[in-house]
Amino acid sequence: MRTRFPSPGEYGTSKLLMEAVLVGLSIATGIPVMIGRIANLHGPGQSLAKQQGIVSQVCKTSLLGQPISMFVSLDTRRDYIIVDDCAALIAQAGARLRRVDRGSPVMKILASGRSVTLASIRGEFRRLIGRRPRVVTGVSPYARLQGRDLRFLSRVWPDLDRAQKTPLVVGMSRTLADLSLQVNGARSSAMN
């Protein structure tokens, strides 16, 4: 049986419905709620079984000597935040949430504040691995649902966003090292 993944439109709609439920809960009960809208998360600990996350997918396909399929333009821009920086932001925002008026839900964007093209990511990987990742471009009916330029700026608690963020290339390098261990571990297990 094949797993059906929601389209980008369905995914976004379901996220908005979940947010509405939380806002309603906060208003009805007075429980403080923070809704975190996380940009593109990357970093060590990514599951190789999931086919999402361009950073982890480029790492994986490069390590396996396979091409990666991209269904959007290479000039598509996204904001990438490494998991450790995002976790620190969530912890800081959670601590601040305790001081918010009861029943006042807070929506915080959790992002690096830097927008990068897919072509730039490809170039950074070329420097990291010594060769350009193989990319196969294709067409998808869902590509039109993907914004070409997603830049994020949080207007809620902007002082939290001023903390030093890990550069994308450092996160890519850490992800590559972690996935290399996973891939080599899987190869070793298969040989035994």
Side-chain angles (χ1 to χ4, degrees):
M1 183 172 148
R2 189 165 177 200
T3 304
R4 183 188 171 282
F5 296 100
S7 73
E10 291 170 336
Y11 177 80
T13 299
S14 66
K15 290 287 190 185
L16 291 173
L17 289 172
M18 287 187 277
E19 289 176 2
V21 168
L22 279 174
V23 166
L25 174 72
S26 178
I27 291 169
T29 64
I31 296 171
V33 168
M34 182 190 82
I35 295 169
R37 288 189 173 174
I38 301 174
N40 293 279
L41 201 58
H42 72 282
Q46 298 289 310
S47 169
L48 290 175
K50 293 170 58 179
Q51 290 230 330
Q52 62 188 57
I54 193 68
V55 171
S56 59
Q57 288 303 307
V58 173
C59 287
K60 173 185 162 184
T61 55
S62 295
L63 289 167
L64 296 174
Q66 301 170 342
I68 183 168
S69 298
M70 290 190 187
F71 298 97
V72 294
S73 171
L74 290 177
D75 67 350
T76 299
R77 301 183 76 84
R78 295 290 184 265
D79 184 301
Y80 299 88
I81 185 167
I82 193 164
V83 66
D84 294 338
D85 291 349
C86 188
L89 255 176
I90 291 169
Q92 293 166 352
R96 186 167 295 178
L97 184 63
R98 291 185 216 143
R99 298 188 301 260
V100 171
D101 290 336
R102 294 177 60 81
S104 299
V106 173
M107 184 174 300
K108 174 83 178 131
I109 293 174
L110 306 164
S112 71
R114 294 182 300 264
S115 179
V116 179
T117 65
L118 293 176
S120 295
I121 288 176
R122 186 180 185 192
E124 290 294 346
F125 268 108
R126 182 179 187 173
R127 283 195 286 275
L128 283 174
I129 63 176
R131 66 184 185 286
R132 187 181 353 220
R134 293 178 13 215
V135 174
V136 176
T137 56
V139 179
S140 166
Y142 298 124
R144 66 180 173 74
L145 298 173
Q146 298 289 331
R148 193 135 202 199
D149 188 345
L150 294 181
R151 297 173 200 229
F152 296 108
L153 175 67
S154 183
R155 291 183 161 69
V156 174
W157 303 330
D159 56 302
L160 298 182
D161 300 317
R162 292 187 196 108
Q164 183 66 36
K165 301 280 189 325
T166 304
L168 178 59
V169 69
V170 172
M172 292 165 62
S173 179
R174 290 179 188 165
T175 304
L176 184 63
D178 178 64
L179 291 177
S180 179
L181 291 173
Q182 288 186 51
V183 167
N184 290 330
R187 286 181 181 158
S188 294
S189 295
M191 290 181 192
N192 292 332

